[in-house]
């Protein structure tokens, strides 16, 4: 532990393994990095919180965290001092060897010796986590610490909360010692190669490829993908990623460049290409007529919003389980009657599910079809509620049995226009059928944002105007079901 400078960190090592050009851009053109989305920041924040919670598995340790991310060398010095002073549990223990800095979540010395623990918010150990642990092992052991074991601490998604949170059930500790030793011989050469990349006068010549999103979505796609138009072969619906890059590597970028006679596409993909190239729409009047004629009034248009906290908050819930907290319901008694609206938004201070269930049962009534968009989601959430609250089983099963999927005409390509760009999501279908109606005027305009916002209210980390944001949540969910009303109206015009 003599050097106190570094060129690579654990994260930049992993970045370099994925793409050397990404590493170079990160080191030399950091300001070109794509902005971090709200949803991705929520993932990062969640990981931080899980890391802090996991420290309770090994309580009463000392913290080597730096004042901020730009002072990582401070952690290195703290770690050295803590080890010298005989500390046996160190959080954020940091080591530097061969210009590589690696911070470890938890370092523990027990009767067998030193053991390393890296905390992940996922539910299993991935190959990338093995490489991540290997660079830590390499740096720590070469700093003079004889590690007896190294483990990944991850979430056990089979744990069901019952009373106080049991962190020993919430977390699974999985040794990766053998896998790390297997990868270890490759590290010196990889470190040498990546340091050469950083020291190079120019970025490596690396074209786009599957590595741009494997294992992580690269945050320099805005730089490297500039030559790809907004609508391209990469937007062909359900086309295998490798086939997309095969087309790209043949010089085929836009849909009009595709030779349909030489390209293996399924009928729906052919329809998408022809529709774009020729500017034509496809409407199967018979199938749409069968669909709309088969609907039974009164009609309900229903949409749920959910949260999926990694750390279960409510009894009977599991990590990452999607839990309902809000719905919007538009109701139409007959095809000619006015639309009525009902809605529910839980209080962030209590379990949202009972209030949700009771009001939903009341609002949905007992007759008529209930239209949703992507039936698997709402149906799955209702079945979860039946499992957890069997006292409402009959009423909820009645709702499940009335569900019908408004997505089907678009998923089956009975109705397709070029504006849908191969997608049948409501965010693409709505502007194609009802151009004047969109989500652009809303403060909250997508589901992930709605979920993260409500979860921050539940966690007590929300900083804004709570009455105003509740209004925004209601407006977003209401827009989803109103969009369904307008979409069905367009389909009815085709009868």
């Amino acid at each position: 532990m003599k050097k106190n400078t570094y060129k690579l960190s654990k994260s930049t090592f992993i970045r370099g393994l994925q793409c050397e050009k990404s590493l170079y851009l990160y080191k030399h053109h950091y300001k070109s990095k794509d902005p971090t989305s709200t949803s991705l920041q929520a993932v990062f924040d969640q990981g931080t919180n899980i890391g802090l919670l996991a420290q309770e598995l090994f309580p009463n340790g000392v913290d080597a965290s730096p004042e901020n991310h730009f002072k990582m060398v401070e952690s290195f010095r703290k770690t050295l001092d803590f080890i010298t002073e005989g500390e046996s549990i160190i959080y954020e223990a940091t080591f530097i060897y061969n210009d590589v800095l690696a911070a470890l979540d938890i370092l523990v010395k027990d009767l067998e010796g030193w053991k390393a623990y890296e905390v992940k918010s996922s539910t299993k150990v991935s190959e990338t986590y093995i490489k991540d642990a290997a660079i830590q092992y390499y740096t720590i052991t070469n700093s003079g610490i004889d590690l007896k074991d190294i483990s990944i601490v991850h979430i056990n998604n089979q744990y069901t909360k019952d009373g106080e949170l049991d962190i020993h059930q919430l977390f699974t500790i999985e040794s990766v010692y053998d896998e790390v030793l297997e990868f270890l011989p490759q590290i010196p050469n990889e470190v040498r190669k990546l340091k050469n990349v950083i020291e190079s006068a120019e970025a490596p010549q690396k074209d786009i490829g599957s590595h741009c999103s494997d294992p992580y979505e690269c945050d320099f796609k805005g730089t490297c993908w500039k030559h790809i138009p907004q609508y391209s072969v990469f937007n062909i619906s359900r086309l295998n990623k490798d086939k997309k890059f095969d087309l790209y590597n043949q010089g085929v970028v836009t849909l009009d460049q595709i030779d349909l006679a030489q390209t293996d596409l399924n009928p729906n993909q052919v329809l998408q290409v022809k529709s774009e190239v020729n500017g034509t729409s496809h409407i199967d009047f018979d199938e749409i007529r069968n669909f709309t004629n088969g609907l039974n009034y009164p009609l309900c248009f229903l949409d749920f919003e959910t949260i999926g906290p990694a750390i279960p908050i409510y009894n009977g819930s599991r990590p990452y389980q999607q839990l309902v907290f809000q719905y919007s319901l538009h109701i139409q008694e007959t095809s000619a009657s006015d639309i009525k609206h009902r809605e529910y938004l839980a209080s962030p201070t209590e379990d949202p599910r009972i209030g949700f269930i009771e009001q939903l049962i009341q609002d949905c009534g007992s007759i008529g079809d209930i239209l949703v968009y992507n039936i698997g989601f709402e149906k799955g959430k209702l079945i979860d509620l039946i499992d957890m609250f069997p006292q409402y089983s009959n009423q909820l099963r009645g709702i499940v049995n009335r569900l019908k999927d408004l997505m089907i005409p678009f998923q089956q390509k009975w109705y397709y226009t070029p504006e849908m760009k191969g997608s049948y999501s409501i965010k693409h279908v709505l502007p194609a059928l009802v151009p004047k109606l969109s989500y652009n005027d809303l403060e909250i305009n997508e589901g992930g944002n709605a979920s993260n916002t409500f979860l921050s209210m539940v966690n007590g980390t929300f900083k804004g105007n709570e009455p105003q944001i509740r209004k925004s949540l209601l407006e977003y969910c209401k827009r989803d079901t109103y969009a369904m009303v307008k979409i069905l109206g367009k389909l009815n015009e085709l009868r």
Side-chain angles (χ1 to χ4, degrees), residues 476-487:
Y476 167 69
C477 198
K478 182 179 181 180
R479 185 66 52 89
D480 268 341
T481 51
Y482 186 63
M484 292 163 61
V485 171
K486 301 301 284 185
I487 288 169

Side-chain angles (χ1 to χ4, degrees), residues 258-276:
I258 295 175
D259 182 348
L260 290 174
Q262 300 295 321
T263 308
D264 183 20
L265 299 177
N266 67 35
N268 282 344
Q269 292 162 351
V270 171
L271 172 63
Q272 179 184 350
V273 173
K274 286 183 175 180
S275 178
E276 173 64 18

